[in-house]
Amino acid sequence: MSTNKLFKKVLIANRGEIACRIIRTLNRLDIEAVAVYSDADRYAQHVLQADEAYWIGPSPAAESYLSMDRLLDVAKRAGVDAIHPGYGFLSENASFAQRCVEHNIVLIGPPASAMVAMGSKSQAKHLMQDASVPLVPGYHGDTQDSAFLKQQAGDIGYPVLLKASMGGGGKGMRIVESESDFDTALSACKREAQSSFGDDHIL
């Protein structure tokens, strides 16, 4: 294998199965893998399989895997060339992409400008609407009042799909079969979106 590698060491800003897959790929490319973990993942497989592993906080994702400051601190301490975000968490976060640039760390993924344009599912739908691309009927605006969203669902007609605007990987998504299920589904969807992505905006 050639020693002319683009990266020597990569931090994986994720957990579980996706982190293990990235580690296996890095191993094949002879690139060092750096894992991060919360309290809940101290003995997880991605921690055991990585070349190095660093604690980044308590179990809630908002205090660990979504903490840009903690991830960038580990990246600096570990001396990585790049960060692979996997999917979910900060993988579509334009602010994180920009901060990586400011810290001279490559983020393996699209640039911040692309994330701004397409990372938000609501913003992406606006772009497609402006380009006259046919869209599935729905609401993707900024008004997030529960009663307003319920009215929009009724106007569309059940069943409807609630989706976290910043979501990915199926997180923050609920199928609502009837009006009587809407409030419970919306609350659950918003909680999961906030926990997973730090943003509870729903479309």
Side-chain angles (χ1 to χ4, degrees):
M1 181 180 288
S2 170
T3 57
N4 186 23
K5 295 180 295 189
L6 182 59
F7 306 126
K8 293 182 179 178
K9 186 185 283 192
V10 172
L11 183 149
I12 302 147
N14 216 301
R15 62 182 295 278
E17 180 266 344
I18 182 59
C20 291
R21 286 169 50 194
I22 296 167
I23 290 168
R24 287 196 296 272
T25 299
L26 293 175
N27 287 340
R28 284 198 302 272
L29 297 172
D30 195 29
I31 297 171
E32 290 183 64
V34 177
V36 292
Y37 61 91
S38 69
D39 286 340
D41 295 321
R42 186 174 298 274
Y43 303 107
Q45 279 300 309
H46 74 282
V47 176
L48 301 176
Q49 292 175 14
D51 296 293
E52 299 175 28
Y54 293 79
W55 177 80
I56 52 168
S59 299
E63 300 176 46
S64 52
Y65 297 102
L66 289 171
S67 173
M68 298 183 207
D69 289 337
R70 292 183 181 195
L71 289 166
L72 290 167
D73 176 63
V74 168
K76 180 179 179 181
R77 287 190 286 135
V80 303
D81 308 298
I83 294 176
H84 195 310
Y87 58 77
F89 291 138
L90 295 172
S91 64
E92 298 179 25
N93 189 301
S95 296
F96 185 58
Q98 184 58 43
R99 290 190 63 183
C100 286
V101 170
E102 293 165 1
H103 284 76
N104 295 314
I105 297 170
V106 173
L107 181 68
I108 300 173
S113 57
M115 291 186 190
V116 169
M118 299 302 289
S120 163
K121 307 315 184 273
S122 293
Q123 180 63 25
K125 291 196 79 145
H126 281 298
L127 287 171
M128 295 302 100
Q129 189 174 44
D130 292 344
S132 299
V133 174
L135 300 175
V136 173
Y139 174 74
H140 50 271
D142 292 329
T143 301
Q144 292 290 295
D145 176 73
S146 298
F148 178 81
L149 292 176
K150 190 172 187 176
Q151 177 190 336
Q152 293 297 309
D155 291 345
I156 294 163
Y158 291 93
V160 297
L161 177 71
L162 300 179
K163 174 84 174 83
S165 182
M166 298 303 294
K171 296 282 190 182
M173 187 163 30
R174 295 286 187 285
I175 295 173
V176 186
E177 300 285 354
S178 66
E179 183 178 5
S180 61
D181 299 327
F182 186 87
D183 293 330
T184 300
L186 179 63
S187 295
C189 195
K190 282 184 167 289
R191 279 195 308 272
E192 191 170 82
Q194 184 66 45
S195 174
S196 298
F197 311 110
D199 188 315
D200 70 353
H201 191 286
I202 300 296
L203 57 88

